[in-house]
Amino acid sequence: MKGLKSATVASKKPVAELLGAKAEPKKTMKKEKVQKVSKKKDADAPKRPAGAFFIFMEEFRKSFKLEFPDVKSGPAVGKAGGEKWKSLSATEKAPYVEKASKRKAEYEIAMQEYEKKKLNCNADAEKSVVTEKSASACEIHDDEAGQEVSS
């Protein structure tokens, strides 16, 4: 039979001190989250062109709907298109890559024109107080660009 060990019990710290020591938060080396400030997209800016895969998917969706009219779910079409794209050889992908490069070239030209107009408008705004007329003159309208003024 074991006897009581009164000497060891007396040397222990009181429960309140033990609980107080455990209540302190542990310091960890967690990085603080830094919130990214995102720019608001300009509605007048040209839209980025689609890549080769997405051009392929435009055509694939049409043919997939004709072959499988009962399939309505988007993920099923995407999965089938992804598998088909992976199975294509480089020569079969070439037309889509070529279309994507053409669209990218057109986008770069449109972006340069947009940047020029944006710079011109910013320079005009700095020179004078922005009024409704000057603000509307800086807006980019595709329908006005192709029309000629006749007198």
Side-chain angles (χ1 to χ4, degrees), residues 79-96:
K79 188 174 249 186
E83 291 173 3
K84 175 80 173 180
W85 179 257
K86 286 179 185 177
S87 68
L88 293 177
S89 66
T91 56
E92 293 171 323
K93 292 180 183 180
Y96 304 109

mmCIF file of all heavy atoms in Angstrom, residues 79-96:
data_model
loop_
_atom_site.group_PDB
_atom_site.id
_atom_site.type_symbol
_atom_site.label_atom_id
_atom_site.label_comp_id
_atom_site.label_asym_id
_atom_site.label_seq_id
_atom_site.Cartn_x
_atom_site.Cartn_y
_atom_site.Cartn_z
ATOM 1 N N LYS A 79 -15.613 19.983 -68.805
ATOM 2 C CA LYS A 79 -14.768 18.802 -68.608
ATOM 3 C C LYS A 79 -14.517 18.090 -69.930
ATOM 4 O O LYS A 79 -13.395 17.704 -70.243
ATOM 5 C CB LYS A 79 -15.432 17.850 -67.614
ATOM 6 C CG LYS A 79 -14.547 16.695 -67.195
ATOM 7 C CD LYS A 79 -15.228 15.887 -66.114
ATOM 8 C CE LYS A 79 -14.463 16.118 -64.845
ATOM 9 N NZ LYS A 79 -14.930 15.286 -63.731
ATOM 10 N N ALA A 80 -15.552 17.927 -70.730
ATOM 11 C CA ALA A 80 -15.404 17.273 -72.030
ATOM 12 C C ALA A 80 -14.504 18.100 -72.943
ATOM 13 O O ALA A 80 -13.662 17.560 -73.674
ATOM 14 C CB ALA A 80 -16.768 17.064 -72.677
ATOM 15 N N GLY A 81 -14.665 19.429 -72.903
ATOM 16 C CA GLY A 81 -13.829 20.310 -73.723
ATOM 17 C C GLY A 81 -12.368 20.271 -73.301
ATOM 18 O O GLY A 81 -11.472 20.270 -74.144
ATOM 19 N N GLY A 82 -12.139 20.214 -71.998
ATOM 20 C CA GLY A 82 -10.766 20.132 -71.491
ATOM 21 C C GLY A 82 -10.080 18.846 -71.919
ATOM 22 O O GLY A 82 -8.908 18.843 -72.304
ATOM 23 N N GLU A 83 -10.818 17.741 -71.842
ATOM 24 C CA GLU A 83 -10.249 16.457 -72.264
ATOM 25 C C GLU A 83 -9.951 16.456 -73.763
ATOM 26 O O GLU A 83 -8.912 15.955 -74.197
ATOM 27 C CB GLU A 83 -11.206 15.326 -71.906
ATOM 28 C CG GLU A 83 -11.313 15.084 -70.410
ATOM 29 C CD GLU A 83 -12.400 14.079 -70.058
ATOM 30 O OE1 GLU A 83 -13.043 13.524 -70.968
ATOM 31 O OE2 GLU A 83 -12.611 13.873 -68.848
ATOM 32 N N LYS A 84 -10.851 17.032 -74.529
ATOM 33 C CA LYS A 84 -10.654 17.102 -75.987
ATOM 34 C C LYS A 84 -9.433 17.968 -76.313
ATOM 35 O O LYS A 84 -8.616 17.611 -77.167
ATOM 36 C CB LYS A 84 -11.921 17.675 -76.640
ATOM 37 C CG LYS A 84 -11.823 17.905 -78.113
ATOM 38 C CD LYS A 84 -12.016 16.641 -78.896
ATOM 39 C CE LYS A 84 -12.084 16.999 -80.380
ATOM 40 N NZ LYS A 84 -12.260 15.851 -81.212
ATOM 41 N N TRP A 85 -9.292 19.110 -75.621
ATOM 42 C CA TRP A 85 -8.164 20.026 -75.848
ATOM 43 C C TRP A 85 -6.841 19.333 -75.531
ATOM 44 O O TRP A 85 -5.866 19.467 -76.259
ATOM 45 C CB TRP A 85 -8.329 21.274 -74.999
ATOM 46 C CG TRP A 85 -7.217 22.256 -75.134
ATOM 47 C CD1 TRP A 85 -6.205 22.465 -74.249
ATOM 48 C CD2 TRP A 85 -6.970 23.155 -76.224
ATOM 49 N NE1 TRP A 85 -5.364 23.444 -74.697
ATOM 50 C CE2 TRP A 85 -5.813 23.882 -75.913
ATOM 51 C CE3 TRP A 85 -7.615 23.418 -77.417
ATOM 52 C CZ2 TRP A 85 -5.283 24.853 -76.755
ATOM 53 C CZ3 TRP A 85 -7.099 24.392 -78.250
ATOM 54 C CH2 TRP A 85 -5.946 25.094 -77.926
ATOM 55 N N LYS A 86 -6.816 18.570 -74.443
ATOM 56 C CA LYS A 86 -5.587 17.857 -74.073
ATOM 57 C C LYS A 86 -5.218 16.799 -75.102
ATOM 58 O O LYS A 86 -4.047 16.520 -75.327
ATOM 59 C CB LYS A 86 -5.744 17.193 -72.705
ATOM 60 C CG LYS A 86 -5.700 18.171 -71.557
ATOM 61 C CD LYS A 86 -5.892 17.452 -70.238
ATOM 62 C CE LYS A 86 -5.974 18.420 -69.089
ATOM 63 N NZ LYS A 86 -6.226 17.738 -67.817
ATOM 64 N N SER A 87 -6.226 16.209 -75.727
ATOM 65 C CA SER A 87 -5.957 15.149 -76.695
ATOM 66 C C SER A 87 -5.527 15.694 -78.063
ATOM 67 O O SER A 87 -5.000 14.943 -78.884
ATOM 68 C CB SER A 87 -7.186 14.254 -76.860
ATOM 69 O OG SER A 87 -8.232 14.975 -77.488
ATOM 70 N N LEU A 88 -5.751 16.995 -78.319
ATOM 71 C CA LEU A 88 -5.363 17.576 -79.606
ATOM 72 C C LEU A 88 -3.844 17.707 -79.709
ATOM 73 O O LEU A 88 -3.167 17.992 -78.726
ATOM 74 C CB LEU A 88 -5.987 18.965 -79.789
ATOM 75 C CG LEU A 88 -7.501 19.047 -79.924
ATOM 76 C CD1 LEU A 88 -7.939 20.499 -80.011
ATOM 77 C CD2 LEU A 88 -7.979 18.295 -81.139
ATOM 78 N N SER A 89 -3.339 17.516 -80.913
ATOM 79 C CA SER A 89 -1.905 17.708 -81.147
ATOM 80 C C SER A 89 -1.639 19.191 -81.397
ATOM 81 O O SER A 89 -2.560 19.998 -81.545
ATOM 82 C CB SER A 89 -1.455 16.887 -82.355
ATOM 83 O OG SER A 89 -2.059 17.392 -83.531
ATOM 84 N N ALA A 90 -0.370 19.544 -81.468
ATOM 85 C CA ALA A 90 0.014 20.943 -81.681
ATOM 86 C C ALA A 90 -0.485 21.453 -83.033
ATOM 87 O O ALA A 90 -0.874 22.623 -83.154
ATOM 88 C CB ALA A 90 1.521 21.097 -81.584
ATOM 89 N N THR A 91 -0.488 20.587 -84.037
ATOM 90 C CA THR A 91 -0.962 21.019 -85.359
ATOM 91 C C THR A 91 -2.475 21.257 -85.355
ATOM 92 O O THR A 91 -2.961 22.120 -86.083
ATOM 93 C CB THR A 91 -0.613 19.975 -86.440
ATOM 94 O OG1 THR A 91 -1.158 18.710 -86.061
ATOM 95 C CG2 THR A 91 0.893 19.862 -86.609
ATOM 96 N N GLU A 92 -3.210 20.467 -84.552
ATOM 97 C CA GLU A 92 -4.658 20.656 -84.455
ATOM 98 C C GLU A 92 -5.007 21.908 -83.645
ATOM 99 O O GLU A 92 -6.043 22.527 -83.858
ATOM 100 C CB GLU A 92 -5.310 19.426 -83.811
ATOM 101 C CG GLU A 92 -5.224 18.186 -84.697
ATOM 102 C CD GLU A 92 -5.671 16.931 -83.975
ATOM 103 O OE1 GLU A 92 -5.401 16.798 -82.771
ATOM 104 O OE2 GLU A 92 -6.293 16.082 -84.646
ATOM 105 N N LYS A 93 -4.124 22.285 -82.716
ATOM 106 C CA LYS A 93 -4.335 23.485 -81.905
ATOM 107 C C LYS A 93 -3.912 24.758 -82.644
ATOM 108 O O LYS A 93 -4.303 25.859 -82.249
ATOM 109 C CB LYS A 93 -3.536 23.399 -80.600
ATOM 110 C CG LYS A 93 -4.031 22.345 -79.642
ATOM 111 C CD LYS A 93 -3.182 22.336 -78.387
ATOM 112 C CE LYS A 93 -3.608 21.236 -77.428
ATOM 113 N NZ LYS A 93 -2.792 21.214 -76.212
ATOM 114 N N ALA A 94 -3.132 24.623 -83.694
ATOM 115 C CA ALA A 94 -2.553 25.767 -84.408
ATOM 116 C C ALA A 94 -3.580 26.803 -84.859
ATOM 117 O O ALA A 94 -3.350 28.003 -84.682
ATOM 118 C CB ALA A 94 -1.713 25.292 -85.581
ATOM 119 N N PRO A 95 -4.726 26.416 -85.441
ATOM 120 C CA PRO A 95 -5.684 27.446 -85.868
ATOM 121 C C PRO A 95 -6.203 28.299 -84.709
ATOM 122 O O PRO A 95 -6.407 29.495 -84.859
ATOM 123 C CB PRO A 95 -6.832 26.667 -86.505
ATOM 124 C CG PRO A 95 -6.394 25.265 -86.619
ATOM 125 C CD PRO A 95 -5.166 25.084 -85.821
ATOM 126 N N TYR A 96 -6.380 27.671 -83.550
ATOM 127 C CA TYR A 96 -6.876 28.390 -82.384
ATOM 128 C C TYR A 96 -5.799 29.326 -81.829
ATOM 129 O O TYR A 96 -6.099 30.441 -81.406
ATOM 130 C CB TYR A 96 -7.344 27.411 -81.307
ATOM 131 C CG TYR A 96 -8.390 26.452 -81.827
ATOM 132 C CD1 TYR A 96 -8.102 25.104 -82.031
ATOM 133 C CD2 TYR A 96 -9.672 26.899 -82.147
ATOM 134 C CE1 TYR A 96 -9.060 24.235 -82.522
ATOM 135 C CE2 TYR A 96 -10.636 26.040 -82.637
ATOM 136 C CZ TYR A 96 -10.321 24.714 -82.824
ATOM 137 O OH TYR A 96 -11.270 23.858 -83.320
#
